[in-house]
Structures are given as structure tokens and as C-alpha cells.
Amino acid sequence: MSIDSSSKRRLTEASLEVLSKNRRAKDGFQYTVPSPTAYPYQWLWDSCFHAIVLSHLSPADAKKELLSLVSKQFDNGMIPHMIYWEKGEVINFKWGKEHTSSITQPPMIALAAWEIYGKDKDKEFLKKLYPHLYHFYNYILNERDPRRHHLASIINPDESGEDNSPRFDTPLGLPTKQTIKESLESRLELVEKLKSCDFDAPFCMKHFFWAKDVPFNAILCENLSVLSKIADELAFKEDSIRYAEESLHVSRAMRELMMEDGLFWPTYGENYVKTKVKTWALFAPMFAGIPTADEAKKLVSGFLDNPSEFKTPYIVPSVSKSDPAYDPAGFWRGSVWIAVNWFVRRGLLRYGMKEQAARVLDSTVALLDKSGFREYFHPDTGAGLGAENFTWGTLVVDMMNDDD
Ligand code: GLC
């Protein structure tokens, strides 16, 4: 533990306050908005983060966070990345449908459910959630991988959760130096395409944007393995075996189709063209235990601990300093995001790299102490950027308790 008990108490209380202030209730459901002003809706992976944090503080509220998410699951199993609980908001139409968006986000929900279950062993909750998980992961496995190559595609950069990451510049046809407006316009154009495709991902959207992202698939791999444990706990033996196999398949496919010289790169198109942009996604496979111990060591010494790459005064920058796209104050183009720190820290702990994991936590604490619960941070100065009262900083609660 690299953090003293008074800091732990202080940050836990501050986190609880942000989550409580951002909590909303509607139509018998409860959810948490990422930021009251900038992001006043419900988001898929954000709610999974909230549930993971709340599993430590209030499992009952954590469960409500996931139950509100699945209440808007589509008939085909997809869970939308945004839910607009309040009617009549202008944004309703921007993402293709009324009341929800028409795309998804990284499939973190099985893990969030498992973290809650780990705290209170409430099997009834798992039972209630399981059919939703079953249909959601089957949707990802079938609709996003129609050729059964064991890698899931995303149909819009926003499905990665890293809206304008340079990993998507080439598949979007955008230059390295671009404005937020240009990026947003081309991402919204994809939504128009999705509408004209009548929301058909595998046979229509693949002609416009069909990227296999590294974190999305690493998250899928880890969540399928967790889903296998959930199925086992509920005595669904066949499902449990199948999801464990699916997880293994994703891990093997990532090694086969994304890896080159020990590094994993996102691909686009039907022929798996690699996009060699250096972002934190280099470390994401560690979250799912995909690299060998030796490969992981090289990733950390060559990149995470390298001052010309990712070792900035405040870590972990979302893009390497050495990449042409690096912009330390840019939205997902170099700035530090606490969810990234959370993924990287879990990966490091998985490989027993306690010292590096402690550095990620120390930096997270330093950022929160210096700048509060901001959306993202400058890797050189630690200055807070973007939205205020942003919930991702509360992941520090999980980080402070994950190696107990
Ligand atoms: C931004 C982030 C995305 C997040 C959303 C709500 O769009 O890029 O990952 O889900 O804000 O916080």
C-alpha cells in the first residue's frame, strides 16, 4: 500500500460525495451522471466504473447502476452507450435513436457485476442480471464478428470510449493534426451511415468503419472469462465452458492478428490492416493477461518506464510523447484519464509489478489532490482539464483497495 490511511479516508469521502451529487433517479431506476454539466446522461462504461467503485461503498447502489443500464437493452442484445432518461433533449437525435444512442461501449458490465458479487455474494442479483449479460455478450460475439475470427469490431470510435483517439485517424480518413469539431463531424457522419444501414452492423456498417480495437478486445477477453465464472456460479455449466473458450479465442486472435514484435496494434477493415499509433492501448492486453511475462516486462521497460514515451511527470498519458499525434492537453490525444490509470494498474498488478502499479496510484492521488475530480489532466503540469465533478476520479477508491 503506497497510500496513508488519512489520504485514503479523505479520497474515499470525496469520491462518495461526487457519486452522491451526480446520482439521479427516474422511472423507478437510479443512475449516476459522469458530470452534472458536461455529461448529464447515463453512459455505459461510466456506469460500470461507478458500479465498481460503489461495490466498495454501497453494493445496493452499485446494483441499481447496472440494472438501470440493462433496462434499455435493445432487442438484439446491444446495450447502448448513452441513455437519456429525461425526455425531449436535443441530443436525443444526434446518435441515431430517440431516448438512447445507437452504438455501444467497451463491454465492462460482466466485470462490474462480478466485483459487486465479490462483496456481498448476492446470487439473486446475479440471476437477475445474467440473461442481460448473456444477450449482450452474444451480440458482441455474433454481430461484431460475423466471420468468427474471434475479434470484435467497433463501428464508431466512440464505441471505444476514447472518442477522438489518434488510433482512429486513419480509419476515419482524418489527418494527425485535426480539430475536435472535425473529429466529431466525421463520427456523427458514421451515425448517419448507421441510420441509413438501418442499424445493421455486420453487413452494412463494415463498409464504413470496421475497426478492431485493442482495449475493446482486451476488455472483452477479460469479461468473457469473468462471465464464465458468473455462469459457473449460477450452475450454467455449458455457458461457463463456452465463455471460457470464447475468452481464450479472443486472446489467441489478438496475438495472431494484432501483435507484431511483442506489441499489439488496432486494425481496421476486413483484412486487419494495423494502425501503428502509440497510445496507452499498448498496455491494455496486460489487463486481460494476454502478453507473456517476458512480453509484459518489455512493454513496461520500453514504454511505461521510458521518459521519451509514457513516463511523464504525471502518468499515464493516453498517447506516447514520441507519437506525432501527441497533444498533452488534447482530448484523448495525450492527456491523462483516470480510467486508463485504473486499467493499467490492474494489468501491472496481474503481472506482479507492484512498484510500477504503486506509481500509477501515487500519480492518480497527486492529480486528484492537485486538480480535483476533473475529466482529464495535463501530463506535465497535472492541471485539470475538461468537465468538472467528473466521476472517473472515484476509481481511486478501487485502486486504493485492490491489493488488500
Ligand atoms: C467522453 C468520453 C467517454 C465517456 C463520456 C462520458 O465522451 O470520451 O469515454 O463515456 O465522455 O463520461
Side-chain angles (χ1 to χ4, degrees):
M1 201 76 212
S2 64
I3 180 159
D4 61 84
S5 57
S6 82
S7 305
K8 192 169 172 178
R9 206 171 322 116
R10 181 173 39 78
L11 285 167
T12 305
E13 274 165 21
S15 296
L16 201 52
E17 197 186 322
V18 172
L19 289 174
S20 311
K21 278 197 179 149
N22 291 11
R23 185 169 299 152
R24 305 283 178 269
K26 185 80 185 175
D27 303 337
F29 289 99
Q30 180 180 300
Y31 63 100
T32 308
V33 299
S35 160
T37 43
Y39 301 106
Y41 316 108
Q42 184 173 21
W43 265 264
L44 173 52
W45 79 334
D46 299 64
S47 275
C48 296
F49 299 147
H50 303 153
I52 289 169
V53 176
L54 288 168
S55 75
H56 297 276
L57 307 171
S58 167
D61 289 316
K63 288 172 205 168
K64 288 182 188 163
E65 193 82 19
L66 298 190
L67 291 172
S68 59
L69 268 184
V70 300
S71 74
K72 302 289 181 196
Q73 183 164 29
F74 290 7
D75 289 344
N76 67 4
M78 196 187 88
I79 302 176
H81 94 304
M82 289 170 73
I83 300 173
Y84 326 117
W85 288 89
E86 300 294 337
K87 308 274 180 274
E89 282 149 338
V90 177
I91 197 168
N92 278 9
F93 301 95
K94 266 201 195 163
W95 293 96
K97 288 202 186 269
E98 277 189 66
H99 314 308
T100 72
S101 69
S102 53
I103 58 172
T104 191
Q105 252 184 346
M108 279 288 290
I109 187 164
L111 181 57
W114 188 242
E115 297 280 332
I116 301 170
Y117 183 69
K119 308 293 184 306
D120 70 358
K121 300 284 171 207
D122 179 357
K123 217 174 245 190
E124 286 311 307
F125 167 69
L126 271 195
K127 253 189 217 158
K128 196 166 171 181
L129 203 64
Y130 186 75
H132 296 284
L133 301 180
Y134 177 93
H135 289 298
F136 178 51
Y137 287 93
N138 285 357
Y139 165 82
I140 300 281
L141 292 171
N142 297 326
E143 299 285 302
R144 298 311 182 87
D145 178 26
R147 292 185 293 172
R148 302 301 287 134
H149 287 182
H150 307 296
L151 288 181
S153 290
I154 55 173
I155 56 173
N156 194 306
D158 291 69
E159 291 201 315
S160 74
E162 295 175 64
D163 314 354
N164 66 343
S165 166
R167 293 202 299 281
F168 309 113
D169 291 353
T170 304
L172 274 181
L174 286 180
T176 301
K177 293 294 166 204
Q178 56 183 251
T179 60
I180 290 223
K181 191 167 168 270
E182 279 169 332
S183 166
L184 186 61
E185 274 170 9
S186 57
R187 282 149 44 214
L188 288 177
E189 247 170 55
L190 285 175
V191 178
E192 290 308 308
K193 297 253 166 56
L194 182 58
K195 272 202 264 179
S196 65
C197 280
D198 203 15
F199 304 100
D200 179 339
F203 300 111
C204 191
M205 275 313 284
K206 71 171 181 201
H207 301 300
F208 304 110
F209 188 94
W210 194 244
K212 312 274 194 294
D213 197 26
V214 176
F216 194 98
N217 279 282
I219 289 168
L220 176 63
C221 177
E222 179 63 3
N223 274 263
L224 286 169
S225 151
V226 166
L227 187 56
S228 160
K229 292 184 204 164
I230 294 177
D232 185 55
E233 202 67 14
L234 296 175
F236 297 130
K237 294 288 171 214
E238 272 178 33
D239 286 3
S240 175
I241 293 168
R242 184 163 73 86
Y243 288 125
E245 279 170 6
E246 293 284 6
S247 172
L248 211 63
H249 286 318
V250 175
S251 157
R252 284 197 196 122
M254 284 184 74
R255 295 189 66 86
E256 223 169 89
L257 297 164
M258 293 176 157
M259 195 168 84
E260 199 176 307
D261 299 328
L263 305 182
F264 292 79
W265 303 106
T267 76
Y268 67 97
E270 291 191 272
N271 297 321
Y272 303 100
V273 180
K274 294 191 181 85
T275 324
K276 294 190 177 172
V277 179
K278 279 192 271 177
T279 71
W280 79 275
L282 288 172
F283 313 115
M286 290 174 63
F287 173 71
I290 298 167
T292 62
D294 195 44
E295 286 162 356
K297 228 192 211 160
K298 284 188 185 141
L299 275 174
V300 171
S301 61
F303 295 93
L304 194 65
D305 280 350
N306 182 343
S308 327
E309 303 279 1
F310 289 87
K311 195 174 181 188
T312 45
Y314 294 86
I315 53 175
V316 176
S318 43
V319 176
S320 163
K321 279 171 74 178
S322 75
D323 195 277
Y326 180 67
D327 170 5
F331 198 79
W332 286 112
R333 298 181 79 86
S335 48
V336 177
W337 294 69
I338 304 299
V340 165
N341 285 9
W342 181 85
F343 284 110
V344 172
R345 178 172 157 90
R346 282 224 169 179
L348 290 165
L349 288 174
R350 190 164 187 150
Y351 287 81
M353 301 184 190
K354 289 202 165 201
E355 211 184 293
Q356 285 88 348
R359 279 213 288 278
V360 175
L361 174 56
D362 287 346
S363 192
T364 303
V365 169
L367 286 168
L368 294 172
D369 280 347
K370 185 178 167 85
S371 302
F373 289 84
R374 295 298 298 270
E375 186 179 5
Y376 51 105
F377 304 86
H378 196 294
D380 293 327
T381 62
L385 299 161
E388 293 179 2
N389 299 306
F390 192 68
T391 50
W392 290 16
T394 67
L395 281 167
V396 73
V397 173
D398 187 67
M399 293 193 238
M400 292 187 300
N401 292 290
D402 60 9
D403 61 352
D404 283 352

